[in-house]
């Protein structure tokens, strides 16, 4: 029996679901179900019983999971000591709501593949500018956020690396008058001429959010004028739901609206508008291989999550 198998069982226990565990472990649900069935047959008793909400440990399963959890913790501690002492702590900031969705995925992947590293998550800093200031002030060591422009130069010892790009969509309630202005591209997807967005009513995130900066830049770059901003909120989810109720427009990353059926998503112009997920880090804190490790984990986490949600990945 291997540590990888132990970690897999502990992940199933943590999330209480075969399907959710398969997603966080980047394997198929049938493959994970087959693994569990074979594992339980090998040890001679059932570890998890199936319930309507997912799975939960049996009586013997709880004792067995406690045993392997102890073994995994001892292994991780011993390995860290052999490699030079305690776990390597990384203070990590995630500023925007889209990035916050990745925290469980990133932590699970890092813990499973590189137990010598420990992420200390700080998700209280709301914007890229504040994250950059936190990096300079030694509050965090690295951060993941989004950037609107394409300037990825090192800033005062802060290393900035682009990960993937994601399209920003116009979100339209189905009974909105602007529906008549939509066009369809060769792939059968909606798009709209920016000039049609003038003189419309919007609900947007407030100025603390990166998506609001993107919204304001969209208005400026596409020459969208005479807009009426009905209200704003710190939560993009609140904004989206308010648009439905108030019959107003908003802008959102595809991630937040890809599975909604109560509204229509449209690209801004034929080419669309995008923002970029980036990794920022203080060069003085990391070795080159550690930065490559963080970059790879974040990029893989983003791409996997986006593909699972049918979001177009632009690398």
């Amino acid at each position: 029996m291997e540590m990888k198998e132990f970690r897999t069982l502990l992940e199933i226990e943590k999330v209480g679901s075969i399907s959710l565990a398969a997603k966080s472990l980047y394997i198929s649900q049938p493959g994970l179900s087959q693994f569990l069935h074979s594992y339980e047959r090998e040890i001679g008793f059932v570890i998890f019983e199936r319930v309507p909400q997912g799975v939960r440990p049996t009586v013997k399963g709880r004792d067995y999971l406690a045993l392997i959890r102890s073994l995994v913790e001892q292994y991780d501690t011993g390995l860290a000591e052999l490699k030079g002492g305690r776990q390597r702590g990384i203070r990590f900031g995630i500023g925007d709501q889209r990035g916050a969705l990745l925290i469980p995925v990133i932590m699970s992947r890092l813990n499973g593949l590189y137990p010598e590293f420990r992420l200390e998550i700080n998700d209280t800093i709301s914007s890229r500018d504040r994250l950059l200031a936190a990096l300079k002030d030694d509050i965090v060591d690295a951060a993941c956020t989004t950037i609107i422009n394409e300037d990825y130069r090192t800033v005062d010892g802060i290393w900035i690396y682009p990960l993937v790009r994601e399209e920003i969509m116009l979100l339209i309630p189905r009974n909105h008058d602007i529906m008549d202005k939509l066009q369809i591209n060769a792939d059968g997807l909606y798009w709209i001429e920016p000039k049609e967005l003038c003189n419309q009513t919007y609900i947007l995130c407030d100025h603390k959010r990166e998506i609001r900066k993107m919204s304001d830049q969209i208005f400026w770059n596409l020459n969208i004028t005479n807009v009426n901003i009905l209200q704003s909120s710190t939560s993009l989810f609140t904004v989206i739901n308010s648009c439905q109720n108030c019959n107003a427009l908003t802008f959102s990353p595809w991630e937040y609206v890809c599975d909604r059926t109560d509204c229509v998503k449209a690209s801004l112009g034929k080419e669309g508008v995008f923002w970029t997920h980036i990794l920022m880090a203080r060069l003085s804190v990391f070795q080159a291989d550690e930065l490559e490790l963080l970059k790879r984990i974040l990029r893989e986490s983003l791409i996997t999550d986006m593909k699972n949600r049918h979001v177009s990945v632009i690398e």
Side-chain angles (χ1 to χ4, degrees):
M1 299 181 186
E2 300 179 353
M3 284 292 141
K4 182 178 180 181
E5 295 175 330
F6 290 166
R7 296 185 195 279
T8 298
L9 294 171
L10 293 174
E11 181 66 18
I12 296 173
E13 179 193 27
K14 181 175 72 173
V15 300
S17 165
I18 298 295
S19 59
L20 292 178
K23 183 177 179 181
S24 65
L25 294 168
Y26 302 95
I27 58 179
S28 68
Q29 181 177 342
L32 183 56
S33 295
Q34 181 59 42
F35 157 78
L36 180 58
H37 178 74
S38 299
Y39 194 95
E40 289 176 332
R41 184 173 55 190
E42 179 182 349
I43 63 174
F45 58 85
V46 175
I47 302 174
F48 295 100
E49 61 179 339
R50 278 62 177 172
V51 295
Q53 297 79 15
V55 295
R56 66 185 179 193
T58 61
V59 174
K60 285 187 177 180
R62 285 197 297 270
D63 292 340
Y64 186 72
L65 290 166
L67 172 63
I68 65 173
R69 186 180 301 105
S70 175
L71 292 173
V72 168
E73 290 173 354
Q74 291 179 40
Y75 173 83
D76 290 347
T77 301
L79 181 62
E81 291 175 353
L82 289 172
K83 289 188 174 183
R86 296 175 298 175
Q87 283 184 306
R88 171 80 154 87
I90 300 172
R91 297 170 300 170
F92 193 79
I94 294 185
D96 58 87
Q97 290 170 302
R98 173 64 182 83
L101 294 175
L102 293 171
I103 291 175
V105 178
I106 295 169
M107 294 188 72
S108 175
R109 188 169 184 80
L110 190 68
N111 183 62
L113 297 177
Y114 305 95
E116 64 270 27
F117 289 95
R118 183 187 71 257
L119 283 186
E120 301 170 4
I121 299 294
N122 184 332
D123 59 355
T124 64
I125 306 172
S126 59
S127 71
R128 174 182 178 269
D129 290 342
R130 291 182 179 180
L131 279 172
L132 194 58
L135 284 162
K136 293 178 180 179
D137 294 340
D138 193 20
I139 296 173
V140 297
D141 302 315
C144 180
T145 186
T146 51
I147 193 171
I148 299 170
N149 58 43
E150 298 300 316
D151 186 357
Y152 303 122
R153 295 173 300 179
T154 300
V155 179
D156 296 333
I158 306 302
W159 182 74
I160 300 176
Y161 186 87
L163 299 168
V164 295
R165 297 172 70 212
E166 182 176 7
E167 186 171 7
I168 302 299
M169 312 298 296
L170 176 70
L171 185 64
I172 310 169
R174 289 190 174 275
N175 60 346
H176 199 285
D177 293 341
I178 208 171
M179 289 287 297
D180 296 335
K181 307 294 185 180
L182 295 182
Q183 303 186 54
I184 300 177
N185 64 20
D187 296 322
L189 303 176
Y190 289 114
W191 68 278
I192 190 167
E193 290 281 4
K195 65 180 181 180
E196 305 294 350
L197 301 182
C198 297
N199 305 303
Q200 298 290 341
T201 297
Y202 298 83
I203 297 176
L204 304 174
C205 283
D206 68 22
H207 291 89
K208 296 179 181 179
R209 310 304 308 186
E210 290 297 308
I211 185 63
R212 175 58 183 270
K213 294 180 182 179
M214 169 61 87
S215 301
D216 290 344
Q217 185 162 326
I218 288 172
F219 291 142
W220 175 263
N221 290 345
L222 301 183
N223 196 29
I224 300 171
T225 58
N226 299 322
V227 300
N228 174 34
I229 300 176
L230 186 62
Q231 58 178 290
S232 63
S233 170
T234 57
S235 167
L236 183 54
F237 292 114
T238 300
V239 167
I240 292 172
N241 291 330
S242 297
C243 285
Q244 302 302 310
N245 295 329
C246 300
N247 198 31
L249 307 175
T250 198
F251 304 105
S252 170
W254 179 267
E255 158 70 22
Y256 285 89
V257 295
C258 59
D259 58 354
R260 295 186 71 104
T261 58
D262 56 354
C263 58
V264 172
K265 288 79 70 176
S267 296
L268 298 164
K270 288 184 178 180
E271 303 300 324
V273 173
F274 299 83
W275 67 6
T276 304
H277 298 280
I278 61 169
L279 168 63
M280 303 188 297
R282 290 195 297 135
L283 288 172
S284 60
V285 173
F286 298 93
Q287 300 178 8
D289 59 339
E290 292 176 340
L291 283 174
E292 288 299 314
L293 167 64
L294 274 180
K295 180 183 74 175
R296 184 169 68 252
I297 287 178
L298 287 169
R299 192 168 181 276
E300 289 175 355
S301 298
L302 279 162
I303 290 174
T304 299
D305 185 63
M306 291 168 74
K307 287 182 176 178
N308 285 342
R309 299 174 186 273
H310 309 290
V311 180
S312 297
V313 178
I314 301 176
E315 305 180 30

